[in-house]
Amino acid sequence: SSDVCSSDLVQAADLYRKACNGRVASGCAHLGFMYSHGTGVKRDYVQAADLYRKACHEGRARDCSSLGVMYDEGTGVKQDSFEAADLYRKACEGRDAVGCYNLALMYWTGKGVKQDSLHAGDLYRKTCEEGVAEGCVNLGTMYDSGNVLKQNLFQAANLYRKACLAGAATGCGLLGRCYELGKGVARSKTDALNYYGKACDMKAEQG
């Protein structure tokens, strides 16, 4: 029943709290997640940020990334793009792909760092290789436009395909456009409609 589940979550929160107090970083991380989502405890973003900070300090890259998002958005902490960028960098250096992707976005826009489109492209490539579909999409658009990287429509289409296979609706839509216009692939109305349809279905599933 839901009461049993709720009781289990409260007990889990207590166990994570004890682990965190005993300097077990994963305990802090799990408890931080529970506070940020209001699972088993009352939602408390300030508490979540403190717990993610402890876990990050102990070398958990994913939690550096989570804390970076909180600084980026000003959730539970005062908004600070420079601190967010530092945390994303630390996460990325710790091989957290989401941290690398968020850092890439900051380099692309110049938020919290000096704007550097080429470095953003390098990070998008890294995140794409690590399975972050949006990284493949953004790198693909760079090859598609030719504004920063040398235009390569074949490479762009391949990156859109990779993103689509990884579940990114935008990747499917852009690949559909490639087939419609014959950009980097042989023009095919059938394939265009197929990928446009996939994009619509994914967007519907994601709400």
Side-chain angles (χ1 to χ4, degrees):
S1 72
S2 60
D3 287 343
V4 173
C5 290
S6 177
S7 174
D8 288 346
L9 289 170
V10 171
Q11 190 173 4
D14 287 339
L15 290 170
Y16 289 141
R17 187 174 291 106
K18 286 174 183 173
C20 183
N21 290 339
R23 298 181 64 83
V24 177
S26 60
C28 300
H30 289 304
L31 187 59
F33 180 87
M34 294 183 86
Y35 271 110
S36 68
H37 290 78
T39 306
V41 292
K42 186 178 179 181
R43 179 172 286 172
D44 186 334
Y45 291 120
V46 174
Q47 186 81 303
D50 285 341
L51 289 160
Y52 283 142
R53 187 175 290 106
K54 286 180 180 177
C56 174
H57 185 69
E58 293 297 323
R60 284 181 58 96
R62 181 183 299 177
D63 301 302
C64 296
S65 185
S66 297
L67 183 59
V69 171
M70 299 187 85
Y71 273 103
D72 206 352
E73 298 176 348
T75 305
V77 292
K78 185 177 179 181
Q79 200 282 333
D80 188 335
S81 298
F82 297 99
E83 181 68 16
D86 284 343
L87 286 161
Y88 291 150
R89 187 174 292 106
K90 187 173 182 179
C92 187
E93 288 169 355
R95 300 180 64 81
D96 179 68
V98 174
C100 292
Y101 176 74
N102 288 336
L103 184 60
L105 292 176
M106 299 194 95
Y107 273 108
W108 183 256
T109 60
K111 182 182 177 185
V113 293
K114 185 178 179 182
Q115 202 278 338
D116 187 335
S117 300
L118 279 173
H119 190 42
D122 288 340
L123 289 166
Y124 285 144
R125 189 184 314 281
K126 183 176 181 178
T127 60
C128 178
E129 289 169 357
E130 292 291 325
V132 178
E134 292 81 1
C136 302
V137 170
N138 290 356
L139 183 60
T141 60
M142 291 177 78
Y143 278 115
D144 202 344
S145 68
N147 291 332
V148 177
L149 301 175
K150 185 178 179 181
Q151 190 176 51
N152 186 328
L153 300 179
F154 177 76
Q155 181 78 309
N158 279 343
L159 286 161
Y160 294 151
R161 190 185 312 280
K162 186 172 182 179
C164 180
L165 289 170
T170 307
C172 297
L174 288 169
L175 183 57
R177 183 169 168 271
C178 288
Y179 275 110
E180 182 183 3
L181 302 176
K183 291 176 64 177
V185 292
R187 181 176 288 174
S188 168
K189 186 176 180 181
T190 302
D191 286 327
L193 290 171
N194 177 38
Y195 283 107
Y196 282 143
K198 282 181 188 255
C200 289
D201 291 342
M202 285 180 188
K203 285 177 182 175
E205 287 173 13
Q206 292 162 5

